[in-house]
Amino acid sequence: GAGVSQSPRYKVAKRGQDVALRCDPISGHVSLFWYQQALGQGPEFLTYFQNEAQLDKSGLPSDRFFAERPEGSVSTLKIQRTQQEDSAVYLCASSFGTGAQETQYFGPGTRLLVL
Amino acid sequence: AQSVTQPDIHITVSEGASLELRCNYSYGATPYLFWYVQSPGQGLQLLLKYFSGDTLVQGIKGFEAEFKRSQSSFNLRKPSVHWSDAAEYFCAVATSGTYKYIFGTGTRLKVLA
C-alpha cells in the first residue's frame, strides 16, 4: 500500500518568505508527527496530531511555525518569514494508533533551504 | 530528561564483515527502543523495536539488537554486512505514556567492497 508522502521534496526559499509543507499520511492513521532534521543530526520532534487535534506543539521552535490537520488526514506545516536557521529536512510520520508502542512510518521528507 | 547517545558518527566495514552499532539511552524505567535506517533521499525505515520480553530482538534485513538494562544499551548487530546496508542508522527511544520519539544523532555506515 501507499506510504507516507510529502511534498514538495525540495524547497528553496528566500529569507523572509513563507513556505508550506504538505504531508499525506497513511490512510486511516490516527497519529501524525512532524520532525525537523538538521544536517548531521537526528530528527527532533516538532508537533503531534491525534486526528485533527494538535495535542502537542512543544517542539515548534518559534511562533513562526504553525501546523494544521483540519480533517484529520492531510497535514500542513507552515513556516512564516523563513530564516536561514530553518534550513533542514522536515519529516512527517504517521502511526495507526496512539502511544509510544505504535510504529511510526516516515515519509521521505522535504528538504528546505533558506537563502 | 531522556536522551539517546550513538557514540560512533561514522563506521566503515568491509562487505561480509560483522557489524555492531552502539546505542545508549538515559531513562529510569524500561523504554521502548527502536532502530531505523535512512538511505539517501529515503524516509526512515524501521528495522526493529523492543518493548519487553526477550532481550534479543530480530528485525528485517538480517539485523538484530540486544537490550541490556544493566548497560542502558540497545546495540544493533548484523553478522555479515552487504554493500546495500550502507546508510545512516538511528536509534530512538520512547516511553510508556508518551508518543514522541527521541532520536540519537545517527551513525553513518560505509561498506567497502
Side-chain angles (χ1 to χ4, degrees):
Chain A
V4 178
S5 61
Q6 294 185 243
S7 61
R9 293 291 309 275
Y10 303 91
K11 178 69 179 178
V12 179
K14 292 183 179 178
R15 190 175 60 174
Q17 280 186 328
D18 298 348
V19 298
L21 313 180
R22 176 187 170 105
C23 172
D24 283 84
I26 295 172
S27 179
H29 277 197
V30 167
S31 296
L32 186 144
F33 306 81
W34 284 98
Y35 291 84
Q36 181 189 58
Q37 185 176 18
L39 189 64
Q41 301 296 314
E44 291 192 359
F45 171 82
L46 292 177
T47 187
Y48 167 63
F49 289 87
Q50 190 176 117
N51 295 307
E52 68 279 2
Q54 188 176 21
L55 299 188
D56 187 341
K57 51 183 181 179
S58 62
L60 296 177
S62 76
D63 58 7
R64 296 185 295 104
F65 286 72
F66 172 77
E68 60 183 4
R69 195 187 184 196
E71 297 179 356
S73 56
V74 171
S75 177
T76 303
L77 176 67
K78 297 178 180 179
I79 308 173
Q80 297 177 324
R81 305 180 305 280
T82 52
Q83 303 294 315
Q84 287 185 324
E85 62 262 27
D86 300 334
S87 296
V89 176
Y90 291 86
L91 297 168
C92 176
S94 69
S95 63
F96 180 74
T98 62
Q101 75 281 7
E102 293 286 332
T103 297
Q104 294 185 23
Y105 296 89
F106 284 79
T110 294
R111 184 176 298 274
L112 173 65
L113 177 62
V114 182
L115 302 176
Chain B
Q2 299 170 59
S3 66
V4 178
T5 302
Q6 293 182 248
D8 304 305
I9 299 174
H10 294 99
I11 282 187
T12 299
V13 300
S14 297
E15 191 170 21
S18 64
L19 172 69
E20 182 169 30
L21 303 182
R22 295 184 289 165
C23 173
N24 293 92
Y25 65 90
S26 172
Y27 185 67
T30 300
Y32 300 146
L33 295 159
F34 307 84
W35 274 101
Y36 279 83
V37 61
Q38 186 176 39
S39 298
Q42 305 293 315
L44 292 157
Q45 181 183 21
L46 180 69
L47 289 175
L48 45 80
K49 57 187 178 183
Y50 173 78
F51 296 153
S52 63
D54 192 348
T55 57
L56 186 62
V57 181
Q58 301 297 320
I60 64 171
K61 303 184 179 185
F63 285 92
E64 66 178 25
E66 185 172 13
F67 171 62
K68 293 185 177 179
R69 183 190 304 275
S70 62
Q71 298 176 19
S72 297
S73 69
F74 188 57
N75 295 348
L76 182 71
R77 301 193 296 247
K78 186 170 185 177
S80 178
V81 170
H82 188 263
W83 64 266
S84 60
D85 293 324
E88 189 146 26
Y89 292 79
F90 291 94
C91 181
V93 63
T95 56
S96 176
T98 70
Y99 39 76
K100 66 178 78 171
Y101 289 3
I102 307 297
F103 283 89
T105 52
T107 297
R108 184 169 295 278
L109 174 65
K110 182 177 180 179
V111 180
L112 301 177

